[in-house]
Amino acid sequence: MAHDHAVAAAAAHPASEKRLQIERDVISAMQRPGLVYWGLVGFFATVFGVCLLGAWAYQIYKGIGVGGQMNPVGWGIYIVNFVFWVGIAHSGTLISAVLFLFRSKFRSSFNRAAEAMTVIAVMCAGMYPLIHLGRVWYAFWLFPYPNQRLLWTNFKSPLEWDVFAISTYLTISVVFFYVGLIPDFAIVKRYTRGLRRHIYSALSLGWVGSKQQWRNYNMLYALLAGFATPLVLSVHSVVSWDFAMGIVPGWHTTIFAPYFVAGAIFSGCGMVLTLCIPMRKLQKLERVMPIDHFEKLAKTMLFTSMIVGYAYTVEFILAYYSGNVYEFGVFKDRAIGHYKFAYWIMVFCNVVSPLALFIKRVRRSLGALFVISIFVNIGMWFERFVIIIQSLSHEFVPYAWGNYSPRWPEVSIMIGTFGFFFMMFLLFAKFLPVVAITEKKEEVH
Amino acid sequence: MGIRLNPMRWLLASVIVAAIAFGADRVLEPAAGGAITIAAALFIGLAEGAICLMAGAEISDGHWHRPLLPRAASLVYVIPVGALLFLVNIPQLSIYPWAEDPSGWLSKGPFIARHVALFALVFAVARKFVGEAVRGAQRTRFWAVIYVILFVAHLSMIGIEWFMTIERPWFSTLFGAFVMVSAFLSGICALSLTVFSWRRRTDAPSKLVQKSLGGLMFGFATFWAYFYFSQLIVIWYGNIPEETMYLAKRIGYHTPYWLPARLIFGMIWVTPFFVLLRRKNKTLAPVTSTLAVIVLSGVTMLFWIMLAPVVPVSIPLLVLLIALLTFLTASIVRSYDLLLRVPAEVVHEPAHQPAHSH
Amino acid sequence: MDRREFLRWMGVASGASVLAGCDLSRKSEKLIPYLVPPEDGIIPGDATFVATSCTECPVGCSVSARIRDDRPVKVDGIAGHPVNDGALCIRGQASLNRLYNVERIRQPLMQDGSGNLVPATWNQALAKVSQALKTTSGEHVFLSGRTSGSLSVLIDEFSQRLNMRRLPEFELFSYAAVREANRSLFGVDAIPFLHPDRADVVVTVGADVLETYGHPVAFARALSRKHDSGEHFTWFHVEPHASMTGFKASERVSVKPGTEGYFLAFLLHSLGRSLDGRASSHVSSVPAVTLDRAAEATGIARETLSKIADALRAAHAPLLVAGGVSIGHESGLDVARIAALIQAVTGMNGRTIDFARATDYSRVGSMSDIDRLKSRLDANQVGTAFVFNVDLVGRLSGWNDFASSLEKASFLVGVGDIMNATLSLCDVVLPLSHAYESWGDVEPVAGVVNVIQPALKPLFDTLSDGDVLLRILAEAGAAAETSYQQYVMDRWARDYGPAAADLVKKGYLETSASAASISLREPDHRYTFGAAPAKTPALVIAPSVRWYDGRSAELELLKEIPDPLSTVSWDPWVSVGLETAAALGVDDRSEVEIRVGNWSTALPVRRQPGLQRDVFMIQHGVAGPPAGWSRTSGEANAVVADVAVTPTGRKVPTTILSASLFEEGRGVVPGSHPEHFGPLKKMQEQHAHGGHELKHEDVSFYPVPNYPTYRWAMAIDMDKCVGCSACVAACTIENNVALSGRDSHLRGRELSWIRIEPYYAEDGSSLDTVPTMCQQCDYAPCEPVCPVYATYHNNEGLNVQVYNRCVGTRYCSNNCPYKQRRFNWFSWEHRPHPMNLMTNPDVSMRGKGMMEKCTFCVQRIRKARDVAKDEGREIREGDFTTACAAACPGGAIVFGNLLDEKSQVHEWAHHERSSRLLEELGTGPGVFYLKKKGGHHGA
Amino acid sequence: MSERLVFGSEHDFLHKLEELVKSGVNPRDIEIFAPHPVHKAEEILEMKPSFVRTFALIGGLTGAATGYLLTSLTALDWPLPVGNKPIVGIPPYTIIAFELMVLFGGLSAFLGFIVTSRMPAIRTIISQDEFRDTFEIHVRKG
């Protein structure tokens, strides 16, 4: 009984009050999915099923030719989307791992959502290399496994590096995501009854927050952060090398690795804002997602945007400096050629529009941030479009130049992935704590 | 201005250094080659890099760096010395392949003009920034941002124009950034050396400062390696003569440079990485400062190997210059007993809240 | 069923499928003896060769057909033949596509009540014909294209036995003006054979000697020999339009349409020869044309005119010939006459111009005859008309409504192989076997006879041309039943005696040619070229290297392969000069409306550098305007004056395969260098200055390739390439390259493994045709990027593509700087019958989603290795060559082992003219190009 | 029998913990529960760094080794020259090695966590034990 009094007294403590408030805020976001919610989930599921699976089945049946790819542009918007989604994925790791190492406070508002986004986005990205294969039914040949042909894969191929990079990335981010969730599962367990309670309980692996558990947990989390940080660099570098290893003018350039990484983080921050701003509103998370944290994210975005701008400039200037007719030919064509619309959209969205973030008022207005984040998403999609497609369309031999434009199966599949992405994210938002409760509590004093 | 130094003495010292360099250059001509370029680039790099680190810390409103501010601030006065060396080096511009067939952009006149202008600009902004920072003024953040941008621009320009054009028309888009990162890394090392200089003093820096510096050295050495690899693999894989030529000349086994080339990689990345892998080492001043010296010499060799295969570089002059500049820099940093007087409270400046602006 | 039974069934099934796979299913039982090799030594998988002749155009080149599994899968020329000497043109290579054409008429057809053609049996059809011959009133007529040899003889018998009038044969390219000129000047009605290799100065006026005029293959061979001889040689080509021939001449000169007479008259008068009486009177009968007059009339620069005149005057062995579009206008006859006159007075005849080897066109009529026929038809005077293997209506599309006239014949009997405008009008259609299914003979030139003999059994219920006639005769009771094979064999035995056997074996026979003495007759002609030149804008209707006079447009293979000048493949187009295009404000693919009188058509534009201002060009085979014909010569007009061309403002999708007419400073033409080539040079100089030449390790971190025995390589002489695209056709057939069709071409998905890239000088003054295929690089950029090793480098220097390992990432294609990799976007490997028989069994078909490309005909390398192995030796120079090299009439392509010091390819590769494409990329290609001797416009 | 102390605030909790240790209670006898990580507590209880580190290290090294060996040995097993690059190309293989290092390292770290903290703890999962929001100190007596 004395003990119960003690508990009551403890619970009455103001700090404890604050902590419980956090719990309630986050958990309440997980209550009773409404009809609208299920409607949305159903809608996105349908989009995914019809637009992606349908079109893909058709493509497999007829042949990859139903898309718009051609000579010389062998890679269409499938690869554009691949890079786009991998890029989206990166900010998740950045926010949860890198900011963890830098002990930045504002990560705690976003890291859970960002990690979820990472996992889902990598799934989306992972689909595309398969979708774009001419003979997807032999996709398993891309994995090294002992076979009676005694034939292994070509580890010198950038595409093979991709296989390793992407699968590693998916695995590690899933583990990272799950590890972060373990204590929260234990908390959610407390708020649920019946079957759900058992499920969450099982997922929490019997977490009680003892000293051993916390000690190992902290170590594990630090290690995973330590692994994930170089991983995030390597993954997008590898993606960039899919192009930079080629000798295609506009692809074969040394700055690609860091440039792509920056771009990835840039687009990732954009997508985090696009997702979190509505989520904050709809699920009433104003208390746990303070505006200052959004401002910090905006600054990160501005910073990466400037790196990207630096890359654009250096590439262009050095192409001119080189006096190399192929190199400069490509860049001239970007600015004034068939794809100039894409190029200028890219420049505006990625370099010009983020400049508004220099203004404090813009940084602190969620509306403005949301608009800019949309610009960034669009801009980064077009950046990949320009890099991949324009470069291929204007290579060495003038006879073989040619312009690509996507056709309906490609567009349909692209829409389908968005369906998948939002479906998954909605499910996450209702069934998992969208903010890392324990980490939020850590900030309470 | 947080630190006041005796301008006359400082000016005198710088001019002496420049004069010696100039004299030696005359004597050794034309064997002097890129020696002055290398020395100048090295010290400009470490000074501006160190200040950039401060700026970065200000922007991300960290607090750990505050005890370092005064020393970092005093490094501002190394920049003009570098500028002076650049001017002294003008006669040596003939080592550049574009000197014979000048184009609009790459010809002596504009080249000198824009670099002098950049020096002036960077110096002014850096001075403004450190001043604000040491005073913990409102505008610190603003000037920090401006400075970082200028730093990137300046070091990229130095990388591209002082080092890359030596092999014109060879080019690598990452080159400017690569030199910039090397400079930033040397800046970190310079600061950890000043930490070493502290040990015998009352104001021994907090563990946090050392830990942070150690961590940064670890991180950016690795980041440097990442840039190095990014450049290497693209060129190795592409196998386009116009590109591979540059690397083949510097790391190919058939050249005399293959060993130094590998040493450089070992000094700038391998050593600090594996030593600092052990968390404890990050906080041991003797370890970090030894590493700092190794990395700095690695960066020196890096700049050297960029020039050496195509133009003669007089090693004696290089060594002499580095010695002189080290002495000058050290005395500027530890200026409060050598060149200038500084009110104690600046050094023991209370760590205060950064200029938050809500 | 139990296990044993199951296995037994399996055995049967698989065995059957193997056999079926070896042969056309129709006679798979024939294959069973294969299991025991028969006497004639046919072994499955081994090829045999049958000598026969090509009938795709009237020339009649000799052909050696490669037989696999009872059917021809590839044709090439017979080496040593006096006309085509081992080579074939693009049409000859494509002739298999006619044999195996899906559109082939498969059995006799008869009109039913409602006028539709319905299948019938031969007996029904023939009965109908002979009945018609009896019943129809009016005169029976027989009209065919040019025939020679036994067939012509049989046609004579046929028509007189059935008292039917044999009309002059119809050829759109009737050479009427040339023949008329030769008749009136020398009294011979023939097209002489040309010997450019014996000439030091050649002037060709309009005659597209490398495309359709005379014997194009022979001309290309001769040029090649000339290049080898290294003797000095200048060739001026004067033409109103732009032709490949023109661009391949040393100098191409544009002349105002219809003013060639002035030009030739000027030449004639500036020859400055002392002439005997008759010649001089001839010459004096030609109006004098001063330099200024000529320049003013023809639009040719004065210095050019005098340059040509001087060259001709100074020439030891000149050759001048006029023809093609230059004789296809009102004063065409004068052009031909003056040309003949120049030939006579400069003593070309018997030296560079050979009437002993003339092509006999005496039975061929002219447009006047067609006109006469038309009026007779309109007057309902024609009873039963035989239209024998000639698409009259199609060729005469320019004649307003010839079809309706033809229908006025009381009974039309059509004989042909593929349904066309003419046959569709006929009451009875008798299906013709292809020459490769028939017996017969042709006489390409006087004193040479080629055999036609079956390379396979008829695919369908068809008869050879001779047999059709004999059957009709028999049916009509006018002769005893016999086979045409018997007929020709008897005739050969009679005419050639024992040599006949040689004819069948060797494929041709050279009989004694009567050297006709050419002497001038009395002048009897007034020259009328003084008439005003053709009014511009003018439209020139040019012969097509792909379609001849349009007849070969029926072959999809010849639609798939782009026209070498314009790179337009499937679609019709109008060529517009650069200035004209700018003036009209049109670009490629913009549609223009062409109007002549009340006739008009809308066509997409293709810009054609070098085509003079206000002259437009379309090719035969595209719906032509009412060009009419020259009353004086009977030659069909090739120049339509005073046309109105107006842009419609629309852009229409057009299958133009080349994205740029020009090199754009890329240095892709051998001998030219990219603008930025300086840098690499500079680096090399730096090294040279540094005391040593650039070594391998200075520019690469990779080992040097080591090839133990072979490094297969190719070399191409830019001087000898005549841009004819025969190599493309040969490659397509040899390697089972799919015909991807128009849609794919519109989407930039052509599949051809080899292509001719035309690059013009910015001012259109010159053209380089660069044949490109996979360059088989030592440091191939396509190889390392493949994640599954589907492409790798073998130890013979080949860049191998493993079709079945390919998963279709397409990175290799992206990373190929030459853009020579082809992807199977859809399932193209299933060909409809009988096209499936054109499949070369030695080359595997590629399925959906696989990458493919030129393999240097690896199947031939394998074969050669097997043979060499059996003989216990290594492969020798000359054991084999690639399909493209074998086909090339210009002998521009050589292939072989680069490691063999004595090999031709080694010699060419180390020639001082030798260079490789995009060499500064360090890919180390295995294809070498010998740049033009004259240097390159970009260089 | 053990003593259970419950606190609402981190501060009180740490304060109590410190004085317990000062008062000579063997840290090994003290079990603590916290709603979020409390690094200070680990210092007070002088806990050794977790074993998870070792797992990660071993995993990482294994991964890197696997990366280099897999690539090189398979390439040497059937040498297929591509673009005439060296059969064993260290730069590209480094990338594979790196990825595998991270993969193995990360997974084995997680494995280490599961093993060292004896998870999943079936008893806790089925029982009603909860991860409460309070700081607790349990001191084992005698």
Side-chain angles (χ1 to χ4, degrees), chain C residues 702-705 778-780 783 789 792-793, chain D residues 74-75 78 80-86 93:
Chain C
Y702 303 164
V704 283
D778 286 335
Y779 301 92
E783 289 165 358
Y789 282 127
Y792 73 100
H793 218 69
Chain D
T74 53
W78 183 357
L80 292 166
V82 285
N84 209 32
K85 291 186 165 30
Y93 293 173

Short mmCIF file of all heavy atoms in Angstrom, two decimals, chain C residues 702-705 778-780 783 789 792-793, chain D residues 74-75 78 80-86 93:
data_model
loop_
_atom_site.label_atom_id
_atom_site.label_comp_id
_atom_site.label_asym_id
_atom_site.label_seq_id
_atom_site.Cartn_x
_atom_site.Cartn_y
_atom_site.Cartn_z
N TYR C 702 44.42 -0.44 -66.76
CA TYR C 702 44.07 -1.82 -67.08
C TYR C 702 45.21 -2.53 -67.77
O TYR C 702 46.07 -1.90 -68.38
CB TYR C 702 42.84 -1.85 -68.01
CG TYR C 702 41.62 -1.16 -67.47
CD1 TYR C 702 40.58 -0.82 -68.30
CD2 TYR C 702 41.52 -0.83 -66.12
CE1 TYR C 702 39.45 -0.17 -67.82
CE2 TYR C 702 40.40 -0.19 -65.63
CZ TYR C 702 39.37 0.14 -66.48
OH TYR C 702 38.27 0.78 -66.00
N PRO C 703 45.20 -3.87 -67.71
CA PRO C 703 46.20 -4.62 -68.47
C PRO C 703 45.94 -4.47 -69.96
O PRO C 703 44.86 -4.09 -70.37
CB PRO C 703 45.97 -6.07 -68.01
CG PRO C 703 44.55 -6.09 -67.53
CD PRO C 703 44.31 -4.74 -66.94
N VAL C 704 46.97 -4.76 -70.76
CA VAL C 704 46.77 -4.78 -72.21
C VAL C 704 46.11 -6.11 -72.57
O VAL C 704 46.45 -7.15 -71.99
CB VAL C 704 48.09 -4.63 -72.98
CG1 VAL C 704 48.56 -3.20 -72.97
CG2 VAL C 704 49.16 -5.53 -72.38
N PRO C 705 45.16 -6.10 -73.51
CA PRO C 705 44.48 -7.34 -73.85
C PRO C 705 45.46 -8.33 -74.45
O PRO C 705 46.37 -7.93 -75.18
CB PRO C 705 43.45 -6.91 -74.89
CG PRO C 705 43.98 -5.65 -75.46
CD PRO C 705 44.74 -4.98 -74.36
N ASP C 778 38.37 -3.27 -77.62
CA ASP C 778 39.23 -3.95 -76.64
C ASP C 778 38.79 -3.60 -75.22
O ASP C 778 38.74 -4.45 -74.35
CB ASP C 778 40.69 -3.51 -76.83
CG ASP C 778 41.30 -4.15 -78.07
OD1 ASP C 778 40.80 -5.23 -78.46
OD2 ASP C 778 42.24 -3.58 -78.63
N TYR C 779 38.50 -2.32 -75.02
CA TYR C 779 38.07 -1.86 -73.69
C TYR C 779 36.59 -1.46 -73.78
O TYR C 779 36.23 -0.30 -73.58
CB TYR C 779 38.93 -0.69 -73.22
CG TYR C 779 40.39 -1.04 -73.14
CD1 TYR C 779 41.25 -0.83 -74.22
CD2 TYR C 779 40.92 -1.62 -72.00
CE1 TYR C 779 42.59 -1.17 -74.15
CE2 TYR C 779 42.26 -1.96 -71.92
CZ TYR C 779 43.09 -1.74 -73.00
OH TYR C 779 44.41 -2.09 -72.93
N ALA C 780 35.77 -2.43 -74.16
CA ALA C 780 34.37 -2.14 -74.46
C ALA C 780 33.65 -1.57 -73.24
O ALA C 780 33.60 -2.23 -72.19
CB ALA C 780 33.68 -3.41 -74.92
N GLU C 783 30.69 -3.78 -71.68
CA GLU C 783 30.86 -5.06 -70.97
C GLU C 783 30.79 -4.94 -69.44
O GLU C 783 29.97 -5.60 -68.81
CB GLU C 783 32.17 -5.72 -71.40
CG GLU C 783 32.13 -6.25 -72.82
CD GLU C 783 33.52 -6.57 -73.35
OE1 GLU C 783 34.49 -6.33 -72.62
OE2 GLU C 783 33.62 -7.03 -74.50
N TYR C 789 27.03 -10.68 -66.63
CA TYR C 789 27.99 -11.22 -67.60
C TYR C 789 27.31 -11.62 -68.91
O TYR C 789 27.77 -12.55 -69.57
CB TYR C 789 28.70 -12.45 -67.04
CG TYR C 789 29.81 -12.16 -66.04
CD1 TYR C 789 29.83 -12.77 -64.80
CD2 TYR C 789 30.85 -11.29 -66.36
CE1 TYR C 789 30.83 -12.52 -63.89
CE2 TYR C 789 31.86 -11.04 -65.45
CZ TYR C 789 31.86 -11.66 -64.23
OH TYR C 789 32.86 -11.43 -63.33
N TYR C 792 30.58 -10.14 -72.59
CA TYR C 792 31.96 -10.14 -72.08
C TYR C 792 32.89 -10.26 -73.27
O TYR C 792 32.45 -10.33 -74.42
CB TYR C 792 32.17 -11.28 -71.09
CG TYR C 792 32.24 -12.65 -71.73
CD1 TYR C 792 33.46 -13.28 -71.97
CD2 TYR C 792 31.08 -13.30 -72.10
CE1 TYR C 792 33.52 -14.52 -72.57
CE2 TYR C 792 31.14 -14.54 -72.70
CZ TYR C 792 32.35 -15.15 -72.93
OH TYR C 792 32.40 -16.39 -73.54
N HIS C 793 34.17 -10.26 -73.00
CA HIS C 793 35.16 -10.25 -74.08
C HIS C 793 35.79 -11.62 -74.21
O HIS C 793 36.27 -12.17 -73.22
CB HIS C 793 36.25 -9.22 -73.77
CG HIS C 793 36.71 -8.49 -74.99
ND1 HIS C 793 35.90 -7.59 -75.65
CD2 HIS C 793 37.87 -8.52 -75.66
CE1 HIS C 793 36.57 -7.10 -76.68
NE2 HIS C 793 37.75 -7.64 -76.72
N THR D 74 34.92 -15.60 -56.77
CA THR D 74 34.03 -15.95 -57.89
C THR D 74 34.65 -15.48 -59.20
O THR D 74 34.56 -16.15 -60.22
CB THR D 74 32.64 -15.31 -57.72
OG1 THR D 74 32.81 -13.91 -57.50
CG2 THR D 74 31.90 -15.92 -56.56
N ALA D 75 35.28 -14.30 -59.18
CA ALA D 75 35.87 -13.78 -60.42
C ALA D 75 37.01 -14.67 -60.88
O ALA D 75 37.14 -14.99 -62.06
CB ALA D 75 36.36 -12.36 -60.22
N TRP D 78 36.02 -18.32 -62.49
CA TRP D 78 35.78 -18.35 -63.94
C TRP D 78 36.07 -16.96 -64.48
O TRP D 78 35.18 -16.12 -64.53
CB TRP D 78 34.35 -18.77 -64.23
CG TRP D 78 34.05 -18.89 -65.69
CD1 TRP D 78 34.88 -18.62 -66.74
CD2 TRP D 78 32.81 -19.29 -66.29
NE1 TRP D 78 34.25 -18.84 -67.94
CE2 TRP D 78 32.98 -19.25 -67.69
CE3 TRP D 78 31.58 -19.66 -65.77
CZ2 TRP D 78 31.95 -19.58 -68.58
CZ3 TRP D 78 30.56 -19.98 -66.66
CH2 TRP D 78 30.74 -19.95 -68.04
N LEU D 80 36.11 -13.95 -66.47
CA LEU D 80 35.46 -13.42 -67.66
C LEU D 80 35.88 -11.96 -67.82
O LEU D 80 35.43 -11.11 -67.05
CB LEU D 80 33.93 -13.51 -67.52
CG LEU D 80 33.34 -14.91 -67.52
CD1 LEU D 80 31.90 -14.88 -67.05
CD2 LEU D 80 33.42 -15.52 -68.90
N PRO D 81 36.76 -11.67 -68.77
CA PRO D 81 37.19 -10.28 -68.92
C PRO D 81 36.03 -9.40 -69.39
O PRO D 81 35.29 -9.77 -70.30
CB PRO D 81 38.27 -10.35 -69.99
CG PRO D 81 38.09 -11.64 -70.67
CD PRO D 81 37.40 -12.56 -69.73
N VAL D 82 35.84 -8.29 -68.72
CA VAL D 82 34.83 -7.32 -69.16
C VAL D 82 35.51 -5.97 -69.32
O VAL D 82 36.09 -5.45 -68.37
CB VAL D 82 33.65 -7.21 -68.17
CG1 VAL D 82 32.74 -8.40 -68.29
CG2 VAL D 82 34.15 -7.08 -66.76
N GLY D 83 35.44 -5.43 -70.53
CA GLY D 83 36.09 -4.16 -70.81
C GLY D 83 37.57 -4.22 -70.48
O GLY D 83 38.21 -3.22 -70.24
N ASN D 84 38.09 -5.45 -70.43
CA ASN D 84 39.50 -5.70 -70.10
C ASN D 84 39.90 -5.08 -68.78
O ASN D 84 41.05 -4.72 -68.57
CB ASN D 84 40.40 -5.19 -71.22
CG ASN D 84 41.67 -6.01 -71.29
OD1 ASN D 84 41.66 -7.20 -70.99
ND2 ASN D 84 42.75 -5.39 -71.66
N LYS D 85 38.96 -4.95 -67.86
CA LYS D 85 39.30 -4.50 -66.51
C LYS D 85 40.02 -5.65 -65.81
O LYS D 85 39.83 -6.81 -66.17
CB LYS D 85 38.03 -4.12 -65.74
CG LYS D 85 37.38 -2.86 -66.28
CD LYS D 85 36.23 -2.41 -65.43
CE LYS D 85 35.80 -1.00 -65.70
NZ LYS D 85 35.97 -0.48 -67.05
N PRO D 86 40.86 -5.34 -64.80
CA PRO D 86 41.51 -6.42 -64.07
C PRO D 86 40.48 -7.41 -63.53
O PRO D 86 39.40 -6.99 -63.09
CB PRO D 86 42.22 -5.71 -62.92
CG PRO D 86 42.15 -4.27 -63.20
CD PRO D 86 41.24 -4.01 -64.32
N TYR D 93 35.27 -3.77 -55.96
CA TYR D 93 34.97 -4.77 -54.93
C TYR D 93 34.90 -4.13 -53.56
O TYR D 93 34.21 -4.60 -52.66
CB TYR D 93 36.02 -5.89 -54.96
CG TYR D 93 35.96 -6.73 -56.22
CD1 TYR D 93 36.90 -7.71 -56.50
CD2 TYR D 93 34.93 -6.54 -57.15
CE1 TYR D 93 36.84 -8.48 -57.66
CE2 TYR D 93 34.86 -7.30 -58.31
CZ TYR D 93 35.81 -8.26 -58.55
OH TYR D 93 35.74 -9.01 -59.70
#
